[in-house]
Amino acid sequence: MPDSNYLDALNEQQRAAVVHEGSPLLILAGAGSGKTRVITTKIAYLIKEKNIDPWSILSVTFTKKAANEMRERAVAIDDRATDAKIQTFHSFGSWFLRKFAEHGGVEPTFSVYDDDDMATLIKKAEPSLSTKEVRTAAHQISLCKDYCLTPDDDLGIIGSEFDLNDIYSKYQKRLRATGNADFGDLIMLPVQILEAYPDITDYIHNRFKVIMVDEYQDSNIAQYKLLQNLSGVKQGSDTYVCVVGDDDQSIYKFRGAEVENILTFPEKFPGTEIIKLERNYRSTASILNAAGLVVKKNHHGSLEKTLVADRGDGGKPVLAFLPDQNAEAKFTADLVLKSLESGAKYSDWAILYRTNAQSLGFEKEFLHRKIPYVVVGSLKFYEREEIKDALSYISFCANHKDEISFRRIINKPPRGIGEKTQDKLMETAFAVNPEGVPVYSDLLENLKTHKDGLSKKAGEGAAGFIKLFDTLAGCFDENKNLSDFVERVIRDSGLDEYHKAGDEIEGTTRVQNLQELVNTAVPYKCTMEGLLQFLDAINLDRTLDAENQAVGDDAVTLITLHNTKGLEYNRVIITGLEEGVFPRMEKTGAELEEERRLFYVGITRARDELYITSTAKRCLYGRWDFMRPSPFIKEAAEAFTVIGQVPFGFSVKKTSPYGQFGRDASAFAGSSEDDGASELASKWKKGTHVYHDDYGEGVVISAYNNTGEFVIEVQFATGTKKKFLPQYQAKSLEIIKD
């Protein structure tokens, strides 16, 4: 065995995987077990010690970042690894397809069509389809290609509501006529070429003598078939095949990933040897114990392994039962701020949640308490397109002179009123007073007056727009919550259907975000005053966000569980462990097992500390609902220190009044703010004179509580009126005592 320094850093299992040769190899790499080190070291080892020509090595993974890291680390050991083909699946497919373009029916200079391009081509191929149907068809055709299905195959597995074979066939003819390819083609066409042309298959088998695949549990059927054909396993080729993955981290079924690929690898590649990487270098033993209890509840053909911590036992994870989602947000903020006292950084923390819509509560709490944060994999809540659209509709309900809102919503959903038509409408909306200053007229009344001068389509769209706002004006009811009104705005405007018409995953996410906006309106009365208070609260949050922009690299991470794959944090809080939230509603069988694997992935992101939260009630669909704890909690409860009010009938022993914090969870979460509010009210009374660096001198003209926040309104000498939250913005205001 070569005595090389670069091998000395490997443990026994890692070394065995690196030096393995001959039969196919499945490296079953547990979370935090150093799989990237193994696969990159193996590339260098084959070149350095086995004299394998780097030109004959192919290593594929799923992201450009992972491929670049793999290449850099292999080259650091042996610079000849530069010549190895280390790429993503799709970039390799593109290379292959350009090399054998004529066999795939595409031009060598082909462009790759994205989702929008696909939708455009489908609409041209089948003009009768609505926008929503076009998006759905595009998503389903992509799925067909993930399964390596052609228009001539039985597409029943896709479950389409229309004649998908016909639409797929027409789309393919249009696509081939352009000479271009879509992303699905980058995998499926190489499979078809390899199966149809033996001479090309022989060339590939002679070219690539080593094939390695990273994150194999994330591969789809088409990628599995590509590996089969590239390796020549059916033809008895001597190509060496090595795949690395973890069946317990297969969480991308919605993207077409098929966990069966890794579970059945030993069957599909005869003679496979399995080497398990079970030493974990990331998490403590207590955290791994919780992860193990969760994932062992999955019974569907798991390739069993037991992770062993390299870093010692560590503190026990904490399971916190909290009153509601507001207490949950306060609990996370309290944990973060308390940790700073012992030298922790904001960036040590990550808040994990099942859906993007859940970020809002944490964003609001962190803004008010001046905790810097970043939202990973998504825009901040109020920056999301669908939220801006909904707020523009709501704002226009309050003020028909709002040009910005008017322009944003007049043609969304499309009403045939494009930018030029809008410009003409705006010209007539200006009046000039004697001083020559333009003043906006009522834009809705202006539209009523001039709609007859529009094209037929635009006129009909304008009439519908006018009718919508005339109807909404009569929908206020002080006996209802404002959430009813906001929900109606979103529904009657067509925003929900408009945003749902995107691809299945993105459309669902946008609708969830709109529903979360509805939830935030629950505390307000369904009156014009309530609507204005609602908009004021949002604007105050935006103001705080602007004040907290310069956070540098030291910030708390807000992130969905799916986006945490491959990441790690010193301190992790997994939130929303309730039935219907996590796991999602009506998940059973294989889908429930994937949700459980998602929980496992979340747990194993934590290095030093882990917290799980579950609330007794949560605002969903515009109303407060009582929640049941997630079934995942019962499965791993023995691994946690339990704090807070354990739900009635839930058989979990409360192991500590508040663990290391020494007080009850609800108190730690700051659920009562009466004392603080009273102190603020006594200090910032109506009539108090203040000074602001930007606005100068002013006087407090009103002070009131707004959904748990103490707000003051200041009239400045310049005539400007501004609202402030003195609990968080006192530094920018100075009380003038003399």
Side-chain angles (χ1 to χ4, degrees):
M1 188 69 60
D3 183 17
S4 304
N5 291 335
Y6 69 97
L7 295 177
D8 293 343
L10 304 176
N11 65 37
E12 184 179 351
Q13 296 167 326
Q14 292 173 332
R15 189 183 181 98
V18 167
V19 303
H20 177 275
E21 56 185 316
S23 63
L25 176 63
L26 167 57
I27 302 175
L28 200 60
S33 61
K35 72 172 181 62
T36 304
R37 168 184 285 183
V38 169
I39 197 168
T40 53
T41 303
K42 190 172 183 70
I43 292 170
Y45 172 81
L46 290 169
I47 298 169
K48 202 176 187 72
E49 314 298 345
K50 294 297 178 180
N51 297 316
I52 300 293
D53 186 344
W55 190 74
S56 69
I57 296 175
L58 170 64
S59 183
V60 291
T61 186
F62 285 86
T63 67
K64 188 175 180 180
K65 178 183 177 183
N68 288 341
E69 181 184 1
M70 199 182 296
R71 183 181 299 103
E72 289 169 5
R73 291 173 69 166
V75 169
I77 299 173
D78 192 315
D79 56 13
R80 288 176 294 174
T82 303
D83 294 330
K85 187 165 284 297
I86 303 173
Q87 293 181 296
T88 66
F89 262 109
H90 286 97
S91 62
F92 170 77
S94 180
W95 169 85
F96 182 99
L97 206 49
R98 292 192 191 283
K99 193 172 186 68
F100 305 108
E102 63 181 297
H103 298 83
V106 297
E107 294 293 324
T109 55
F110 67 83
S111 298
V112 181
Y113 281 177
D114 61 16
D115 292 344
D116 289 337
D117 298 325
M118 283 184 71
T120 300
L121 209 56
I122 290 170
K123 183 66 175 177
K124 289 180 178 178
E126 188 56 79
S128 63
L129 294 178
S130 67
T131 300
K132 181 180 180 181
E133 287 172 332
V134 165
R135 291 289 181 184
T136 301
H139 174 68
Q140 291 176 350
I141 289 171
S142 293
L143 278 179
C144 288
K145 295 190 177 186
D146 287 344
Y147 284 101
C148 257
L149 296 172
T150 72
D152 297 325
D153 291 320
D154 179 0
L155 305 183
I157 189 175
I158 306 300
S160 180
E161 64 272 27
F162 38 68
D163 189 348
L164 185 59
N165 292 79
D166 182 58
I167 295 170
Y168 186 6
S169 178
K170 291 176 179 176
Y171 165 75
Q172 281 295 93
K173 289 175 182 176
R174 286 265 186 169
L175 181 60
R176 291 289 84 88
T178 69
N180 292 324
D182 58 29
F183 275 97
D185 284 335
L186 297 182
I187 307 299
M188 190 171 80
L189 284 180
V191 171
Q192 292 175 339
I193 292 169
L194 288 167
E195 290 180 347
Y197 297 95
D199 55 331
I200 295 177
T201 302
D202 290 342
Y203 168 82
I204 290 295
H205 293 169
N206 290 325
R207 163 72 195 269
F208 297 114
K209 307 308 294 182
V210 174
I211 299 178
M212 291 190 275
V213 182
D214 189 22
E215 302 285 10
Y216 189 62
Q217 78 282 343
D218 293 337
S219 62
N220 59 35
I221 296 298
Q223 288 159 340
Y224 152 70
K225 289 189 173 184
L226 180 61
L227 175 61
Q228 262 200 331
N229 284 283
L230 289 173
S231 65
V233 63
K234 291 180 179 179
Q235 293 85 1
S237 169
D238 61 353
T239 300
Y240 177 70
V241 179
C242 170
V243 301
V244 185
D246 181 3
D247 55 317
D248 290 333
Q249 296 188 70
S250 179
I251 59 173
Y252 295 126
K253 178 71 173 177
F254 65 94
R255 294 181 188 167
E258 187 54 69
V259 69
E260 290 294 327
N261 287 351
I262 192 168
L263 294 176
T264 62
F265 183 84
E267 300 170 23
K268 301 296 176 60
F269 291 80
T272 291
E273 184 175 345
I274 300 176
I275 295 177
K276 299 179 181 180
L277 304 184
E278 297 175 299
R279 179 163 294 280
N280 177 283
Y281 294 94
R282 178 187 298 149
S283 307
T284 63
S286 295
I287 291 171
L288 293 183
N289 178 40
L293 288 171
V294 168
V295 82
K296 78 176 185 180
K297 296 296 182 181
N298 275 356
H299 306 295
H300 183 64
S302 174
L303 299 169
E304 292 184 6
K305 61 188 173 304
T306 303
L307 294 180
V308 178
D310 190 67
R311 300 181 56 234
D313 291 342
K316 213 173 182 183
V318 172
L319 164 59
F321 289 107
L322 299 164
D324 55 43
Q325 64 201 51
N326 296 326
E328 180 182 56
K330 291 180 173 63
F331 174 76
T332 60
D334 287 344
L335 284 175
V336 171
L337 293 175
K338 189 171 181 65
S339 73
L340 299 181
E341 299 172 8
S342 57
K345 298 182 295 184
Y346 291 114
S347 56
D348 288 336
W349 290 92
I351 316 300
L352 280 51
Y353 36 79
R354 181 63 180 80
T355 64
N356 273 313
Q358 290 170 254
S359 75
L360 179 58
F362 304 108
E363 291 189 55
K364 289 168 69 71
E365 185 69 19
F366 287 4
L367 286 171
H368 291 178
R369 299 178 71 173
K370 294 191 178 299
I371 296 174
Y373 70 91
V374 291
V375 181
V376 174
S378 175
L379 294 170
K380 291 183 177 181
F381 190 83
Y382 292 123
E383 294 173 357
R384 297 168 192 170
E385 179 189 358
E386 63 276 13
I387 299 303
K388 285 186 172 183
D389 292 343
L391 289 176
S392 291
Y393 268 101
I394 296 166
S395 296
F396 196 70
C397 286
N399 177 14
H400 291 343
K401 295 181 179 181
D402 184 348
E403 181 189 1
I404 301 301
S405 293
F406 179 79
R407 282 186 177 271
R408 186 175 187 94
I409 64 179
I410 185 61
N411 205 40
K412 186 180 277 190
R415 297 185 177 90
I417 305 175
E419 193 169 338
K420 289 184 178 178
T421 304
Q422 292 174 35
D423 289 341
K424 290 179 181 178
L425 286 169
M426 293 310 303
E427 287 174 13
T428 63
F430 283 103
V432 179
N433 69 12
E435 285 77 32
V437 180
V439 179
Y440 289 116
S441 68
D442 185 309
L443 295 174
L444 194 63
E445 290 300 320
N446 181 68
L447 186 61
K448 290 178 183 179
T449 303
H450 295 89
K451 69 179 176 64
D452 293 336
L454 304 177
S455 68
K456 181 180 179 182
K457 183 178 179 181
E460 291 172 352
F465 187 81
I466 292 164
K467 183 179 179 182
L468 169 67
F469 282 93
D470 284 346
T471 302
L472 289 174
C475 290
F476 290 108
D477 184 345
E478 64 179 8
N479 295 316
K480 293 182 178 180
N481 294 331
L482 187 66
S483 58
D484 293 323
F485 181 82
V486 174
E487 189 167 35
R488 179 159 189 168
V489 169
I490 292 169
R491 182 186 66 242
D492 290 1
S493 66
L495 275 182
D496 53 351
E497 289 298 324
Y498 174 78
H499 286 295
K500 195 187 295 181
D503 69 65
E504 184 178 348
I505 304 304
E506 184 181 353
T508 299
T509 299
R510 291 189 172 200
V511 171
Q512 289 170 345
N513 289 337
L514 289 169
Q515 187 56 60
E516 188 60 26
L517 184 67
V518 172
N519 294 340
T520 64
V522 168
Y524 303 88
K525 284 188 176 182
C526 188
T527 61
M528 180 57 73
E529 183 181 4
L531 186 149
L532 294 174
Q533 289 175 350
F534 173 66
L535 291 173
D536 279 349
I538 289 172
N539 289 329
L540 284 169
D541 285 345
R542 286 170 163 172
T543 301
L544 289 169
D545 191 21
E547 291 178 0
N548 296 344
Q549 280 298 312
V551 298
D553 295 327
D554 191 18
V556 177
T557 296
L558 301 182
I559 187 169
T560 64
L561 283 146
H562 277 104
N563 281 327
T564 62
K565 184 78 181 302
L567 304 177
E568 61 180 56
Y569 305 92
N570 290 336
R571 294 172 165 93
V572 167
I573 308 174
I574 306 177
T575 62
L577 265 292
E578 302 113 36
E579 283 188 8
V581 177
F582 188 30
R584 300 286 296 281
M585 198 72 71
E586 299 175 353
K587 295 287 187 181
T588 59
E591 289 185 337
L592 183 63
E593 293 204 349
E594 179 157 311
E595 291 278 300
R596 191 177 282 114
R597 293 195 293 270
L598 187 57
F599 188 30
Y600 171 84
V601 167
I603 291 173
T604 54
R605 300 310 95 194
R607 298 187 74 254
D608 303 316
E609 294 180 19
L610 172 68
Y611 303 83
I612 310 294
T613 64
S614 181
T615 67
K617 63 177 184 175
R618 187 175 292 274
C619 194
L620 299 168
Y621 310 109
R623 66 179 186 275
W624 285 97
D625 283 344
F626 289 98
M627 310 299 292
R628 290 175 55 84
S630 168
F632 300 157
I633 289 178
K634 287 185 179 180
E635 297 170 358
E638 65 186 75
F640 291 89
T641 293
V642 182
I643 60 176
Q645 184 63 49
V646 177
F648 178 75
F650 196 74
S651 56
V652 173
K653 183 180 178 182
K654 186 173 178 179
T655 53
S656 167
Y658 197 81
Q660 63 266 48
F661 302 110
R663 52 182 171 148
D664 185 73
S666 60
F668 190 83
S671 58
S672 173
E673 301 178 10
D674 292 343
D675 293 342
S678 299
E679 184 179 338
L680 289 167
S682 64
K683 183 178 180 181
W684 301 89
K685 294 178 181 177
K686 182 178 179 180
T688 301
H689 288 262
V690 299
Y691 179 81
H692 190 281
D693 289 339
D694 294 330
Y695 305 113
E697 292 187 15
V699 62
V700 177
I701 58 174
S702 65
Y704 54 91
N705 278 301
N706 182 13
T707 64
E709 300 289 3
F710 183 74
V711 182
I712 61 170
E713 185 172 16
V714 179
Q715 172 79 61
F716 290 98
T718 58
T720 299
K721 289 182 183 179
K722 290 286 181 181
K723 289 186 174 71
F724 300 93
L725 298 175
Q727 183 177 357
Y728 313 109
Q729 296 175 282
K731 287 185 178 179
S732 61
L733 282 171
E734 180 182 351
I735 293 178
I736 303 173
K737 296 181 180 179
D738 185 8

